[in-house]
Amino acid sequence: MSVIDNAVYVDGRRAAAPGSVDGALAELHRCRRDQHDGASGSFCWIGMLRPDHDEIREVAKEFDLHPLAVEDTVNAHQRPKMERYGDTEFVVLRPARYVDHDEVVQIGEVHLFLGPDFVITVRHAVEPELGEVRERLENDPELLAHGPMAVLYAVLDRVVDDYAPVLDGLQDDIDQIEEQVFRGDPQVSRRIYQLTREVIAFQRAVEPLQEIFGELRGRFAKSGPSPDLELRRAMRDVIDHATRVRERVEGFRDLLGNILTVNATLVAQRQNEEMTRLTEAGFAQNEQMKKVSSWAAILFAPSLIAGIYGMNFEHMPELSWTFGYPMAFGMMLALALVLYTMFRRNGWL
């Protein structure tokens, strides 16, 4: 059996610890018979860890739990919610734990069945350790005397308090990501995307709590003044903490979106700068090629004339002319000067 703790409480104190669900029911009935006022302060709390289908259905049969709530517990993977089936409240919570090494938010799941005189907690993950919650309540009999709603408050308080380390872990990673962005780390885009996914998963666990707290406010408002005033005040404190968590998570998501935009802008800016440097280098190289080509053309013209007149043929014009050499030299010089002037005027030299 996956029952890890099983106790009957009378007026906020543990009266018995039966070894089975049947024993818890029998002890609860005995306590109610012993108290002439209806035993409003008597209830049993059964804690279960990863029960199989048969175990859940056995408990459901003993406490007459609604089939739809039982089905949700069997299937698990539910969003946080609070539903009422007759006299029984069914609550789903999603505790969270941040694994900093892997930058992953591990989301657990806790189901609570709250009846007039019983509480059944079903954990589908090791965290949170509800044994610590039970110990805290047992050390505060006045609070535990409020019955199943006191258990709901304590579990909610533990789940919301456990969100604080998750927020701190996410904040540290976001700070690191901001530094990476402005360092130009090429791997930061992947990290931003992965962390955004974890923030969204965490937000899905936190956001629906507002619906649960809204439902609780409505229940308290309808019940009017009651001896549960201190419990209401404690619940309001949890609501305030949960609201701050929700606001911070929303801020993280917006911040990561802005960081991603800034990173994309910086990447584009660096790419533009690189393209500008390449363009400038290409322009400088082109200018050098212009100069080399210009001087090559200038030297080519005299070389062409010299080559023509340098051919060793017997019959060539101007070979016997007195001014043949000055004319050839003048032509080479004039052509070179014309080319130099033209290239200089066009900015090639």
Side-chain angles (χ1 to χ4, degrees), residues 125-172:
V126 176
E127 297 289 339
E129 178 52 64
L130 294 186
E132 298 175 1
V133 176
R134 188 186 292 261
E135 182 179 357
R136 171 196 169 189
L137 286 172
E138 290 179 349
N139 290 331
D140 189 356
E142 292 184 5
L143 177 61
L144 190 55
H146 290 290
M149 289 303 294
V151 177
L152 175 60
Y153 152 73
V155 174
L156 277 169
D157 188 48
R158 174 59 184 271
V159 169
V160 173
D161 285 348
D162 285 349
Y163 288 157
V166 179
L167 293 173
D168 293 340
L170 291 172
Q171 182 67 68
D172 290 342

CSV table of all heavy atoms in Angstrom, one decimal, residues 125-172:
chain,number,residue,atom,x,y,z
A,125,ALA,N,4.8,13.0,-7.0
A,125,ALA,CA,6.2,13.2,-7.1
A,125,ALA,C,6.7,13.3,-5.6
A,125,ALA,O,5.9,13.5,-4.7
A,125,ALA,CB,6.5,14.5,-7.8
A,126,VAL,N,8.0,13.1,-5.5
A,126,VAL,CA,8.6,13.1,-4.1
A,126,VAL,C,8.4,14.5,-3.4
A,126,VAL,O,8.2,14.6,-2.2
A,126,VAL,CB,10.1,12.7,-4.2
A,126,VAL,CG1,10.7,12.7,-2.8
A,126,VAL,CG2,10.2,11.3,-4.7
A,127,GLU,N,8.6,15.5,-4.2
A,127,GLU,CA,8.5,16.9,-3.7
A,127,GLU,C,7.1,17.4,-3.9
A,127,GLU,O,6.5,17.1,-4.9
A,127,GLU,CB,9.5,17.8,-4.4
A,127,GLU,CG,10.9,17.4,-4.2
A,127,GLU,CD,11.4,17.7,-2.8
A,127,GLU,OE1,10.7,18.5,-2.1
A,127,GLU,OE2,12.4,17.1,-2.3
A,128,PRO,N,6.5,18.1,-2.9
A,128,PRO,CA,7.1,18.5,-1.7
A,128,PRO,C,7.0,17.4,-0.6
A,128,PRO,O,6.1,16.6,-0.7
A,128,PRO,CB,6.4,19.8,-1.3
A,128,PRO,CG,5.0,19.5,-1.9
A,128,PRO,CD,5.2,18.8,-3.1
A,129,GLU,N,7.8,17.5,0.4
A,129,GLU,CA,7.7,16.5,1.5
A,129,GLU,C,6.6,16.9,2.4
A,129,GLU,O,6.8,17.8,3.3
A,129,GLU,CB,9.0,16.4,2.2
A,129,GLU,CG,9.0,15.5,3.4
A,129,GLU,CD,8.5,14.1,3.1
A,129,GLU,OE1,9.2,13.5,2.3
A,129,GLU,OE2,7.5,13.7,3.6
A,130,LEU,N,5.4,16.3,2.3
A,130,LEU,CA,4.3,16.7,3.1
A,130,LEU,C,4.4,16.2,4.5
A,130,LEU,O,3.6,16.7,5.4
A,130,LEU,CB,3.0,16.2,2.5
A,130,LEU,CG,2.6,16.8,1.1
A,130,LEU,CD1,1.2,16.2,0.7
A,130,LEU,CD2,2.6,18.3,1.1
A,131,GLY,N,5.4,15.4,4.8
A,131,GLY,CA,5.6,15.0,6.2
A,131,GLY,C,6.0,16.2,7.0
A,131,GLY,O,5.6,16.3,8.2
A,132,GLU,N,6.7,17.1,6.4
A,132,GLU,CA,7.1,18.3,7.1
A,132,GLU,C,5.9,19.2,7.4
A,132,GLU,O,5.8,19.9,8.4
A,132,GLU,CB,8.2,19.0,6.3
A,132,GLU,CG,9.5,18.2,6.2
A,132,GLU,CD,10.5,19.0,5.3
A,132,GLU,OE1,10.2,20.1,4.8
A,132,GLU,OE2,11.6,18.4,5.0
A,133,VAL,N,5.0,19.2,6.4
A,133,VAL,CA,3.8,20.0,6.6
A,133,VAL,C,2.9,19.4,7.7
A,133,VAL,O,2.4,20.1,8.6
A,133,VAL,CB,3.0,20.0,5.3
A,133,VAL,CG1,1.6,20.7,5.5
A,133,VAL,CG2,3.7,20.6,4.2
A,134,ARG,N,2.8,18.1,7.8
A,134,ARG,CA,2.1,17.4,8.8
A,134,ARG,C,2.7,17.7,10.2
A,134,ARG,O,2.0,18.0,11.2
A,134,ARG,CB,2.0,15.9,8.6
A,134,ARG,CG,1.1,15.2,9.5
A,134,ARG,CD,1.2,13.7,9.3
A,134,ARG,NE,0.7,13.2,8.0
A,134,ARG,CZ,-0.5,12.7,7.8
A,134,ARG,NH1,-1.3,12.6,8.9
A,134,ARG,NH2,-0.9,12.3,6.7
A,135,GLU,N,4.0,17.7,10.2
A,135,GLU,CA,4.7,17.9,11.5
A,135,GLU,C,4.5,19.4,12.0
A,135,GLU,O,4.3,19.6,13.2
A,135,GLU,CB,6.2,17.7,11.3
A,135,GLU,CG,7.0,17.9,12.6
A,135,GLU,CD,8.5,17.6,12.4
A,135,GLU,OE1,8.9,17.2,11.3
A,135,GLU,OE2,9.3,17.8,13.3
A,136,ARG,N,4.5,20.3,11.0
A,136,ARG,CA,4.3,21.7,11.4
A,136,ARG,C,2.9,21.9,11.9
A,136,ARG,O,2.7,22.6,13.0
A,136,ARG,CB,4.4,22.6,10.1
A,136,ARG,CG,4.0,24.0,10.3
A,136,ARG,CD,3.8,24.7,9.0
A,136,ARG,NE,3.1,26.0,9.2
A,136,ARG,CZ,2.7,26.7,8.2
A,136,ARG,NH1,2.8,26.3,6.9
A,136,ARG,NH2,2.1,27.9,8.4
A,137,LEU,N,1.9,21.3,11.3
A,137,LEU,CA,0.5,21.4,11.8
A,137,LEU,C,0.3,20.7,13.2
A,137,LEU,O,-0.4,21.2,14.0
A,137,LEU,CB,-0.5,20.8,10.8
A,137,LEU,CG,-0.7,21.6,9.5
A,137,LEU,CD1,-1.5,20.8,8.5
A,137,LEU,CD2,-1.4,22.9,9.9
A,138,GLU,N,1.0,19.6,13.3
A,138,GLU,CA,0.8,18.9,14.6
A,138,GLU,C,1.5,19.7,15.8
A,138,GLU,O,1.1,19.5,16.9
A,138,GLU,CB,1.5,17.5,14.5
A,138,GLU,CG,0.6,16.5,13.7
A,138,GLU,CD,1.3,15.2,13.5
A,138,GLU,OE1,2.4,15.0,14.0
A,138,GLU,OE2,0.6,14.2,13.0
A,139,ASN,N,2.5,20.5,15.4
A,139,ASN,CA,3.1,21.4,16.4
A,139,ASN,C,2.2,22.6,16.7
A,139,ASN,O,2.6,23.4,17.5
A,139,ASN,CB,4.5,21.8,16.0
A,139,ASN,CG,5.4,20.6,16.0
A,139,ASN,OD1,5.3,19.7,16.8
A,139,ASN,ND2,6.4,20.7,15.1
A,140,ASP,N,1.2,22.8,15.9
A,140,ASP,CA,0.3,24.0,16.1
A,140,ASP,C,-1.2,23.4,16.2
A,140,ASP,O,-2.0,23.6,15.3
A,140,ASP,CB,0.4,24.9,14.9
A,140,ASP,CG,-0.3,26.2,15.2
A,140,ASP,OD1,-1.0,26.4,16.2
A,140,ASP,OD2,-0.2,27.1,14.3
A,141,PRO,N,-1.5,22.8,17.3
A,141,PRO,CA,-2.9,22.2,17.5
A,141,PRO,C,-4.0,23.2,17.2
A,141,PRO,O,-5.1,22.8,16.7
A,141,PRO,CB,-2.9,21.7,18.9
A,141,PRO,CG,-1.5,21.6,19.3
A,141,PRO,CD,-0.7,22.6,18.6
A,142,GLU,N,-3.8,24.5,17.6
A,142,GLU,CA,-4.9,25.5,17.4
A,142,GLU,C,-5.2,25.6,15.9
A,142,GLU,O,-6.4,25.8,15.6
A,142,GLU,CB,-4.5,26.8,18.0
A,142,GLU,CG,-4.4,26.8,19.5
A,142,GLU,CD,-4.1,28.2,20.1
A,142,GLU,OE1,-4.1,29.1,19.3
A,142,GLU,OE2,-3.9,28.3,21.3
A,143,LEU,N,-4.2,25.6,15.1
A,143,LEU,CA,-4.4,25.7,13.7
A,143,LEU,C,-5.0,24.4,13.1
A,143,LEU,O,-6.0,24.5,12.4
A,143,LEU,CB,-3.1,26.0,13.0
A,143,LEU,CG,-3.1,26.1,11.4
A,143,LEU,CD1,-4.1,27.2,11.0
A,143,LEU,CD2,-1.7,26.4,10.8
A,144,LEU,N,-4.5,23.3,13.5
A,144,LEU,CA,-4.9,22.0,13.0
A,144,LEU,C,-6.4,21.7,13.5
A,144,LEU,O,-7.1,21.0,12.8
A,144,LEU,CB,-4.0,20.9,13.5
A,144,LEU,CG,-4.2,19.5,12.9
A,144,LEU,CD1,-4.1,19.6,11.4
A,144,LEU,CD2,-3.1,18.5,13.4
A,145,ALA,N,-6.8,22.3,14.5
A,145,ALA,CA,-8.2,22.1,15.0
A,145,ALA,C,-9.2,22.7,14.0
A,145,ALA,O,-10.4,22.3,14.1
A,145,ALA,CB,-8.3,22.8,16.4
A,146,HIS,N,-8.8,23.5,13.1
A,146,HIS,CA,-9.7,24.0,12.1
A,146,HIS,C,-10.1,23.0,11.1
A,146,HIS,O,-10.9,23.2,10.2
A,146,HIS,CB,-9.1,25.2,11.4
A,146,HIS,CG,-9.0,26.5,12.2
A,146,HIS,ND1,-10.1,27.2,12.6
A,146,HIS,CD2,-7.9,27.1,12.8
A,146,HIS,CE1,-9.7,28.2,13.4
A,146,HIS,NE2,-8.3,28.2,13.5
A,147,GLY,N,-9.4,21.8,11.1
A,147,GLY,CA,-9.8,20.7,10.3
A,147,GLY,C,-9.2,20.7,8.9
A,147,GLY,O,-8.1,21.2,8.7
A,148,PRO,N,-9.9,20.1,8.0
A,148,PRO,CA,-9.3,19.9,6.6
A,148,PRO,C,-8.9,21.2,6.0
A,148,PRO,O,-7.9,21.2,5.2
A,148,PRO,CB,-10.5,19.3,5.8
A,148,PRO,CG,-11.3,18.5,6.9
A,148,PRO,CD,-11.2,19.4,8.1
A,149,MET,N,-9.6,22.3,6.2
A,149,MET,CA,-9.1,23.6,5.6
A,149,MET,C,-7.8,24.0,6.1
A,149,MET,O,-7.0,24.7,5.4
A,149,MET,CB,-10.2,24.7,5.9
A,149,MET,CG,-11.5,24.5,5.1
A,149,MET,SD,-11.2,24.4,3.3
A,149,MET,CE,-10.7,26.0,3.0
A,150,ALA,N,-7.5,23.6,7.3
A,150,ALA,CA,-6.1,24.0,7.9
A,150,ALA,C,-5.1,23.2,7.1
A,150,ALA,O,-4.0,23.7,6.8
A,150,ALA,CB,-6.1,23.6,9.3
A,151,VAL,N,-5.4,22.0,6.7
A,151,VAL,CA,-4.4,21.1,5.9
A,151,VAL,C,-4.3,21.8,4.6
A,151,VAL,O,-3.1,21.9,4.0
A,151,VAL,CB,-4.9,19.7,5.8
A,151,VAL,CG1,-4.0,18.9,4.9
A,151,VAL,CG2,-5.0,19.1,7.2
A,152,LEU,N,-5.4,22.2,3.9
A,152,LEU,CA,-5.3,22.8,2.6
A,152,LEU,C,-4.4,24.1,2.7
A,152,LEU,O,-3.6,24.3,1.9
A,152,LEU,CB,-6.7,23.2,2.1
A,152,LEU,CG,-6.7,24.0,0.8
A,152,LEU,CD1,-6.1,23.2,-0.3
A,152,LEU,CD2,-8.2,24.4,0.5
A,153,TYR,N,-4.6,24.9,3.8
A,153,TYR,CA,-3.8,26.1,3.9
A,153,TYR,C,-2.3,25.7,4.0
A,153,TYR,O,-1.5,26.4,3.4
A,153,TYR,CB,-4.2,26.9,5.2
A,153,TYR,CG,-3.1,27.7,5.8
A,153,TYR,CD1,-2.7,28.8,5.2
A,153,TYR,CD2,-2.5,27.2,6.9
A,153,TYR,CE1,-1.6,29.5,5.7
A,153,TYR,CE2,-1.4,28.0,7.5
A,153,TYR,CZ,-1.0,29.1,6.9
A,153,TYR,OH,0.1,29.8,7.4
A,154,ALA,N,-2.0,24.8,4.9
A,154,ALA,CA,-0.6,24.4,5.1
A,154,ALA,C,0.1,23.9,3.8
A,154,ALA,O,1.2,24.2,3.6
A,154,ALA,CB,-0.5,23.4,6.2
A,155,VAL,N,-0.7,23.1,3.1
A,155,VAL,CA,-0.1,22.5,1.8
A,155,VAL,C,0.1,23.7,0.8
A,155,VAL,O,1.1,23.8,0.1
A,155,VAL,CB,-1.0,21.4,1.3
A,155,VAL,CG1,-0.5,21.0,-0.1
A,155,VAL,CG2,-1.1,20.3,2.2
A,156,LEU,N,-0.9,24.6,0.7
A,156,LEU,CA,-0.8,25.7,-0.2
A,156,LEU,C,0.4,26.6,0.2
A,156,LEU,O,1.2,27.0,-0.7
A,156,LEU,CB,-2.1,26.6,-0.2
A,156,LEU,CG,-3.2,26.1,-1.1
A,156,LEU,CD1,-4.5,26.9,-0.7
A,156,LEU,CD2,-2.9,26.3,-2.5
A,157,ASP,N,0.6,26.8,1.5
A,157,ASP,CA,1.7,27.6,2.0
A,157,ASP,C,3.0,27.0,1.6
A,157,ASP,O,3.9,27.7,1.2
A,157,ASP,CB,1.5,27.8,3.5
A,157,ASP,CG,2.5,28.8,4.1
A,157,ASP,OD1,2.6,29.9,3.5
A,157,ASP,OD2,3.2,28.5,5.1
A,158,ARG,N,3.1,25.7,1.8
A,158,ARG,CA,4.4,25.0,1.5
A,158,ARG,C,4.7,25.1,0.0
A,158,ARG,O,5.8,25.3,-0.5
A,158,ARG,CB,4.3,23.6,1.9
A,158,ARG,CG,5.5,22.7,1.5
A,158,ARG,CD,6.8,23.3,2.1
A,158,ARG,NE,8.0,22.6,1.6
A,158,ARG,CZ,8.5,21.5,2.3
A,158,ARG,NH1,7.9,21.1,3.4
A,158,ARG,NH2,9.5,20.9,1.8
A,159,VAL,N,3.6,24.8,-0.8
A,159,VAL,CA,3.8,24.9,-2.3
A,159,VAL,C,4.3,26.3,-2.7
A,159,VAL,O,5.2,26.4,-3.5
A,159,VAL,CB,2.5,24.4,-3.0
A,159,VAL,CG1,2.6,24.7,-4.5
A,159,VAL,CG2,2.3,23.0,-2.8
A,160,VAL,N,3.6,27.3,-2.2
A,160,VAL,CA,3.9,28.7,-2.6
A,160,VAL,C,5.3,29.1,-2.1
A,160,VAL,O,6.1,29.7,-2.8
A,160,VAL,CB,2.8,29.6,-2.1
A,160,VAL,CG1,3.3,31.1,-2.4
A,160,VAL,CG2,1.5,29.4,-2.8
A,161,ASP,N,5.6,28.7,-0.9
A,161,ASP,CA,7.0,29.0,-0.4
A,161,ASP,C,8.1,28.3,-1.2
A,161,ASP,O,9.2,28.9,-1.3
A,161,ASP,CB,7.1,28.5,1.1
A,161,ASP,CG,6.3,29.5,2.1
A,161,ASP,OD1,6.0,30.6,1.6
A,161,ASP,OD2,6.1,29.1,3.2
A,162,ASP,N,7.8,27.1,-1.7
A,162,ASP,CA,8.8,26.4,-2.5
A,162,ASP,C,9.0,27.0,-3.8
A,162,ASP,O,10.0,26.7,-4.5
A,162,ASP,CB,8.4,24.9,-2.7
A,162,ASP,CG,8.6,24.1,-1.4
A,162,ASP,OD1,9.3,24.6,-0.5
A,162,ASP,OD2,8.1,23.0,-1.3
A,163,TYR,N,8.1,27.9,-4.2
A,163,TYR,CA,8.3,28.7,-5.5
A,163,TYR,C,9.4,29.7,-5.4
A,163,TYR,O,10.0,30.1,-6.4
A,163,TYR,CB,7.0,29.4,-5.9
A,163,TYR,CG,5.9,28.5,-6.4
A,163,TYR,CD1,4.6,28.9,-6.3
A,163,TYR,CD2,6.2,27.2,-6.9
A,163,TYR,CE1,3.6,28.1,-6.8
A,163,TYR,CE2,5.1,26.4,-7.3
A,163,TYR,CZ,3.8,26.9,-7.3
A,163,TYR,OH,2.8,26.1,-7.7
A,164,ALA,N,9.7,30.1,-4.1
A,164,ALA,CA,10.8,31.2,-4.0
A,164,ALA,C,12.1,30.8,-4.5
A,164,ALA,O,12.8,31.5,-5.2
A,164,ALA,CB,10.9,31.6,-2.5
A,165,PRO,N,12.6,29.5,-4.1
A,165,PRO,CA,13.9,29.1,-4.7
A,165,PRO,C,13.9,29.0,-6.2
A,165,PRO,O,14.9,29.2,-6.9
A,165,PRO,CB,14.2,27.8,-4.1
A,165,PRO,CG,13.4,27.8,-2.8
A,165,PRO,CD,12.2,28.6,-3.2
A,166,VAL,N,12.8,28.7,-6.8
A,166,VAL,CA,12.6,28.6,-8.2
A,166,VAL,C,12.8,30.0,-8.8
A,166,VAL,O,13.5,30.2,-9.8
A,166,VAL,CB,11.3,28.0,-8.7
A,166,VAL,CG1,11.2,27.9,-10.2
A,166,VAL,CG2,11.1,26.6,-8.1
A,167,LEU,N,12.2,30.9,-8.2
A,167,LEU,CA,12.3,32.3,-8.7
A,167,LEU,C,13.8,32.8,-8.6
A,167,LEU,O,14.3,33.4,-9.5
A,167,LEU,CB,11.4,33.2,-7.9
A,167,LEU,CG,9.9,33.1,-8.1
A,167,LEU,CD1,9.1,33.9,-7.1
A,167,LEU,CD2,9.4,33.4,-9.5
A,168,ASP,N,14.4,32.5,-7.5
A,168,ASP,CA,15.8,32.9,-7.3
A,168,ASP,C,16.7,32.2,-8.4
A,168,ASP,O,17.6,32.9,-9.0
A,168,ASP,CB,16.3,32.5,-6.0
A,168,ASP,CG,15.6,33.3,-4.9
A,168,ASP,OD1,15.1,34.4,-5.2
A,168,ASP,OD2,15.6,32.9,-3.7
A,169,GLY,N,16.5,30.9,-8.7
A,169,GLY,CA,17.3,30.3,-9.7
A,169,GLY,C,17.1,30.8,-11.1
A,169,GLY,O,18.0,31.0,-11.8
A,170,LEU,N,15.8,31.1,-11.4
A,170,LEU,CA,15.5,31.8,-12.7
A,170,LEU,C,16.1,33.1,-12.8
A,170,LEU,O,16.7,33.5,-13.8
A,170,LEU,CB,14.0,31.8,-12.9
A,170,LEU,CG,13.3,30.5,-13.1
A,170,LEU,CD1,11.8,30.7,-13.1
A,170,LEU,CD2,13.7,29.8,-14.4
A,171,GLN,N,16.1,33.9,-11.7
A,171,GLN,CA,16.7,35.3,-11.7
A,171,GLN,C,18.2,35.2,-11.9
A,171,GLN,O,18.7,36.0,-12.7
A,171,GLN,CB,16.3,36.0,-10.4
A,171,GLN,CG,16.9,37.4,-10.3
A,171,GLN,CD,16.1,38.3,-11.3
A,171,GLN,OE1,15.0,38.6,-11.1
A,171,GLN,NE2,16.8,38.8,-12.3
A,172,ASP,N,18.9,34.3,-11.3
A,172,ASP,CA,20.3,34.1,-11.5
A,172,ASP,C,20.6,33.8,-12.9
A,172,ASP,O,21.6,34.4,-13.5
A,172,ASP,CB,20.8,33.0,-10.5
A,172,ASP,CG,20.8,33.5,-9.1
A,172,ASP,OD1,20.7,34.7,-8.8
A,172,ASP,OD2,20.9,32.6,-8.2
